[in-house]
Amino acid sequence: MPKTWAEDAQHRLREAGYRNGPVRIAVIELLDAENCCVSAADVHASLNERVGLASVYRVLESLHAAGLVRRVDVGDGIARYEPLRESGEHHHHLVCTECGKVEAFDDPALERAIRRVEAKSGYAVEQHDVVLQGACDTCR
Amino acid sequence: MPKTWAEDAQHRLREAGYRNGPVRIAVIELLDAENCCVSAADVHASLNERVGLASVYRVLESLHAAGLVRRVDVGDGIARYEPLRESGEHHHHLVCTECGKVEAFDDPALERAIRRVEAKSGYAVEQHDVVLQGACDTCR
DNA sequence: AGCTTGACGAGAATCGGTATCGTCAGCCGC
DNA sequence: GCGGCTGACGATACCGATTCTCGTCAAGCT
């Protein structure tokens, strides 16, 4: 791949009329380095809290509006974001009910089953999420 | 079935050391009459706001702790609850991104696929949720 | 009847997230 | 290069959902 997701994201946001300020670039780099979901608070902490929390939310919101990130909610009331890469592959999440850890998994058969449900639903489905909750192997 | 879910819930909560006060009974009856998910605010409104909102949350929390209800979060920041009936059947949710409507669906093939993923996960999975988001047929 | 303990309601507190506002800097045309 | 427009930024106020605290009350054991 010629371009990283970070470069692509900066480019597409610029085309959408946004300017790339230091906070935006930093957030994008951070997301690109992460493979699974991160919360706004995570980003804020990773940036050493030297940036305004509102700016972090703004950047994540603009990325979401541009379709560059996926918003994931695993049920704990905290929104998390993860980059939507060109490849189109995506994953779902296992949440430990004991320690709160979030892990990723993917499964082609599950995707096919969901695809079929989507087709039958009558909805123009844009996104689907599967969340499994339970005790992880270290917690039980 | 000899017992309704409401009777069973009251019985099991009593066994768990809770007492059945008027609010608890009212909330349980309300949930039993509902087939899909309701939020704490819905319950509060349905009870004519004559009860404390905190009491509604307390009852829902105790029902959840006893494994009598399922907590559903479709990503809008509002927790919803629905009764977990003996039969074991359950459904998942379609959320309209335009009007916020929540519908239920179920699909045996999807359940089987999830069951397989759970078995492979290494987690003691207690609950799984599938949420599809998109525009419903009336909104597009 | 007395005591313990949970249930209840009211309101304060918390927490994630959003909106507002004043300021600053990049980039445009001149 | 100089305004001026516009978006970026940080601080802070705000909002809505949920949880906590506390005083009071009543159920049910003894």
Side-chain angles (χ1 to χ4, degrees):
Chain A
M1 47 184 164
K3 291 192 298 188
T4 66
W5 176 84
E7 288 165 357
D8 184 48
Q10 284 182 37
H11 182 68
R12 300 225 333 238
L13 282 180
R14 187 181 295 260
E15 280 189 333
Y18 294 101
R19 286 180 206 156
N20 284 328
V23 175
R24 169 152 305 148
I25 293 173
V27 172
I28 290 175
E29 303 269 322
L30 244 168
L31 280 175
D32 198 11
E34 208 63 42
N35 52 341
C36 196
C37 44
V38 285
S39 68
D42 291 339
V43 173
H44 186 225
S46 296
L47 261 32
N48 243 329
E49 306 191 2
R50 296 293 303 272
V51 304
L53 185 52
S55 301
V56 173
Y57 280 108
R58 261 191 299 254
V59 171
L60 292 173
E61 156 63 22
S62 61
L63 285 166
H64 187 236
L68 289 160
V69 297
R70 195 159 86 101
R71 186 185 183 134
V72 180
D73 189 340
V74 296
D76 58 359
I78 301 176
R80 293 152 206 268
Y81 295 84
E82 57 192 22
L84 267 176
R85 303 179 191 277
E86 298 276 320
S87 56
E89 56 75 35
H90 67 276
H91 54 258
H92 297 295
H93 299 94
L94 277 161
V95 183
C96 178
T97 46
E98 303 301 315
C99 63
K101 184 175 59 176
V102 178
E103 273 186 70
F105 72 88
D106 60 3
D107 185 86
L110 177 58
E111 293 301 321
R112 281 194 297 273
I114 291 176
R115 218 53 60 92
R116 276 195 294 271
V117 172
E118 290 179 4
K120 285 194 302 186
S121 70
Y123 276 54
V125 179
E126 295 158 7
Q127 174 177 327
H128 61 248
D129 283 296
V130 180
V131 177
L132 308 188
Q133 294 176 310
C136 71
D137 42 9
T138 62
C139 280
R140 33 174 187 158
Chain B
M1 48 184 162
K3 291 193 295 185
T4 66
W5 176 84
E7 287 164 358
D8 184 47
Q10 284 181 39
H11 182 69
R12 300 228 329 241
L13 281 181
R14 187 182 295 263
E15 281 190 332
Y18 295 100
R19 286 178 206 160
N20 284 329
V23 176
R24 169 152 304 148
I25 292 172
V27 172
I28 289 175
E29 302 270 322
L30 244 167
L31 280 175
D32 198 9
E34 207 64 43
N35 52 344
C36 195
C37 44
V38 286
S39 67
D42 292 338
V43 172
H44 187 227
S46 298
L47 260 33
N48 244 328
E49 308 191 0
R50 297 292 305 271
V51 305
L53 186 51
S55 300
V56 173
Y57 279 106
R58 261 190 299 252
V59 172
L60 291 173
E61 156 64 21
S62 61
L63 284 166
H64 187 235
L68 289 160
V69 297
R70 194 158 85 102
R71 186 184 184 138
V72 179
D73 188 339
V74 296
D76 58 358
I78 301 176
R80 293 152 204 269
Y81 296 83
E82 56 191 24
L84 266 175
R85 301 179 193 277
E86 298 274 322
S87 56
E89 56 74 37
H90 68 277
H91 55 258
H92 297 296
H93 298 94
L94 276 161
V95 183
C96 178
T97 46
E98 304 301 315
C99 64
K101 186 175 58 176
V102 179
E103 275 187 68
F105 73 88
D106 59 4
D107 185 89
L110 178 58
E111 293 301 322
R112 281 193 297 274
I114 292 176
R115 219 53 59 91
R116 275 195 294 271
V117 172
E118 289 179 5
K120 285 193 303 185
S121 70
Y123 277 54
V125 179
E126 295 158 7
Q127 173 177 327
H128 62 248
D129 283 297
V130 180
V131 177
L132 307 189
Q133 293 176 311
C136 72
D137 42 8
T138 63
C139 279
R140 32 172 187 159

